[in-house]
Amino acid sequence: MTHDSLGEIQTGKIPLKGRTLPELSEIVVSLGEKPFRAKQIYHGLYVNRYESWDQFTTFSKALREKLEEQCSLTRLHTIKHLKSVDGTQKFTFASEPENGKEFEAVWIPSGDGGRKTICISSQVGCTLNCKFCATAKLEFQGNLKAHEIVDQVLQVEKTVGDRATNIVFMGMGEPFHNYFNVIRAASILHDPDALNLGARRITISTSGVVNGIRRFIENKEPYNFAISLNHPDRDGRREIMDIEEKFTLPELLQAAKDFTRELKRRITFEYVMIPGVNMGKQNADKLVKIARSLDCKINVIPLNTEFFGWRRPTPDEVREFISLLEPAGIPILNRRSPGKDIFGACGMLASKS
């Protein structure tokens, strides 16, 4: 495999962040070094969190100079850092500050201090146009490389001075439209020799890219999996999510059933509640029918944006909708909206917010 085939070459230097250990080994050998150096670099990047070759003090000065000349340890630039009254923190990043391509990640601590989640992005903008999502209003500017995805976690943890217990691929972009970079990043986050997060502490979400789900099943990926459903009816879903034009709800639900059957794991449906659009008894009954057909749980999320004259449901409306779902006999979680005051809540990520 050539370095070019790895697809992340910058002018003159080989970027090493975001590489799997076998890829690093190949690069190190091509530079005339012993393969064990790859493990040392990998450990330095993800366990020691080194950001410059000077920090690799176990390497000789000559080796550090050689690596400095030929390889880069790319690092994201923090463009903006906002703190919410509830403890949530939102970060706007760029790989190169001058190129205008900005993307966001959110640090979400639970109130009791136990669960600490980082919501990360997989694209600059988004390839889809879900009507309730602010990111959809941005121009799509490209997929993030694996190192740009992993480095969101490294930079957030460095700034907040803490480590995440959970990572969710629910920021800007459709993860399954950047499948290989997302899976490579997830493998580094999961690797015991890197960031060492349990596979069940990493959740990858899709709005319904069925061929990506099929690939995920075929490869038996170990990570938690969520589908942004948002409507139990095909015509209704098409009105708010343009992905329905390419992958229909019946196709999506069949893929979801295959996931739960073949991987023996529960799936999460995310459901943004929009009064007058996808709530009420009729929609709840259809959602219950879907929920009973496979092993799942439902995360209901009050709408956080105000496009098309839509409004956030009242607490009473949320309680009523949840009560209508209870006959499904499955776990139903009402996802709070942390970081709403800093545009960090679900559906609000937009780099120019």
Side-chain angles (χ1 to χ4, degrees):
M1 185 191 295
T2 65
H3 298 325
D4 286 334
S5 71
L6 292 174
E8 294 173 330
I9 303 311
Q10 296 179 334
T11 49
K13 290 189 179 184
I14 306 165
L16 299 187
K17 252 188 196 172
R19 306 292 192 192
T20 62
L21 188 53
E23 289 169 350
L24 267 184
S25 298
E26 189 181 324
I27 292 169
V28 164
V29 170
S30 77
L31 296 175
E33 298 296 328
K34 294 283 194 292
F36 74 89
R37 293 294 187 196
K39 190 87 179 268
Q40 292 177 316
I41 293 170
Y42 196 71
H43 190 273
L45 286 174
Y46 301 120
V47 178
N48 297 332
R49 313 286 180 105
Y50 294 158
E51 293 187 337
S52 77
W53 290 115
D54 290 339
Q55 293 173 289
F56 285 81
T57 51
T58 56
F59 290 0
S60 69
K61 186 168 185 285
L63 177 57
R64 292 201 302 269
E65 288 175 352
K66 178 181 180 180
L67 291 169
E68 175 73 51
E69 185 181 307
Q70 300 194 49
C71 303
S72 66
L73 303 179
T74 48
R75 182 171 62 85
L76 295 179
H77 301 267
T78 303
I79 305 300
K80 192 183 295 182
H81 176 203
L82 299 174
K83 296 182 181 181
S84 167
V85 293
D86 61 25
T88 302
Q89 299 183 47
K90 186 173 77 163
F91 297 79
T92 303
F93 292 119
S95 294
E96 301 295 334
E98 63 276 4
N99 72 7
K101 293 184 178 180
E102 299 176 3
F103 46 95
E104 298 186 334
V106 186
W107 169 263
I108 311 166
S110 65
D112 59 11
R115 187 182 176 100
K116 291 166 269 190
T117 302
I118 303 178
C119 176
I120 56 177
S121 295
S122 55
Q123 296 182 312
V124 183
C126 189
T127 40
L128 298 174
N129 184 23
C130 299
K131 290 187 175 179
F132 48 83
C133 182
T135 308
K137 311 304 173 194
L138 302 177
E139 177 189 356
F140 173 66
Q141 297 185 68
N143 287 329
L144 294 178
K145 303 284 199 300
H147 72 84
E148 294 170 313
I149 298 171
V150 172
D151 208 32
Q152 291 173 63
V153 175
L154 297 177
Q155 297 305 325
V156 167
E157 291 186 340
K158 177 184 173 183
T159 301
V160 303
D162 203 350
R163 296 290 169 91
T165 61
N166 296 77
I167 303 294
V168 296
F169 285 79
M170 297 181 185
M172 298 169 68
E174 165 51 61
F176 277 6
H177 280 169
N178 189 16
Y179 186 90
F180 294 107
N181 281 310
V182 163
I183 295 299
R184 178 184 281 152
S187 73
I188 293 170
L189 296 172
H190 173 44
D191 190 344
D193 291 324
L195 276 78
N196 194 27
L197 275 166
R200 302 301 169 85
R201 293 185 174 274
I202 299 168
T203 300
I204 301 175
S205 175
T206 180
S207 51
V209 181
V210 171
N211 54 0
I213 299 172
R214 295 279 175 210
R215 185 178 288 132
F216 193 93
I217 297 169
E218 186 180 336
N219 295 340
K220 294 182 168 53
E221 299 296 352
Y223 315 109
N224 279 347
F225 182 61
I227 292 175
S228 188
L229 186 65
N230 305 316
H231 208 291
D233 177 81
R234 183 177 173 183
D235 291 334
R237 195 168 190 264
R238 187 187 294 113
E239 289 296 313
I240 60 174
M241 299 180 72
D242 64 341
I243 193 167
E244 185 66 27
E245 299 286 350
K246 184 166 186 183
F247 299 110
T248 66
L249 186 58
E251 288 178 274
L252 176 60
L253 294 178
Q254 185 57 56
K257 288 171 187 174
D258 293 343
F259 175 95
T260 58
R261 186 184 69 250
E262 294 184 31
L263 299 187
K264 308 284 190 292
R265 301 211 312 267
R266 173 177 282 169
I267 214 161
T268 297
F269 286 121
E270 296 162 314
Y271 200 90
V272 175
M273 295 176 290
I274 312 171
V277 175
N278 64 356
M279 297 177 73
K281 188 173 188 318
Q282 189 176 9
N283 287 318
D285 288 347
K286 290 179 181 178
L287 189 52
V288 165
K289 187 176 178 183
I290 290 171
R292 282 175 168 163
S293 71
L294 72 167
D295 185 14
C296 70
K297 66 176 180 179
I298 299 176
N299 284 351
V300 292
I301 309 159
L303 178 72
N304 289 311
T305 54
E306 296 178 344
F307 307 125
F308 308 103
W310 293 343
R311 64 171 176 84
R312 184 181 176 86
T314 66
D316 284 346
E317 287 172 324
V318 171
R319 279 191 291 270
E320 181 185 355
F321 188 64
I322 290 174
S323 73
L324 292 172
L325 299 180
E326 284 170 353
I330 61 163
I332 302 165
L333 176 66
N334 179 7
R335 278 244 308 264
R336 60 197 180 94
S337 297
K340 199 163 183 291
D341 57 323
I342 57 169
F343 298 94
C346 180
M348 300 184 82
L349 295 195
S351 60
K352 301 304 180 186
S353 64

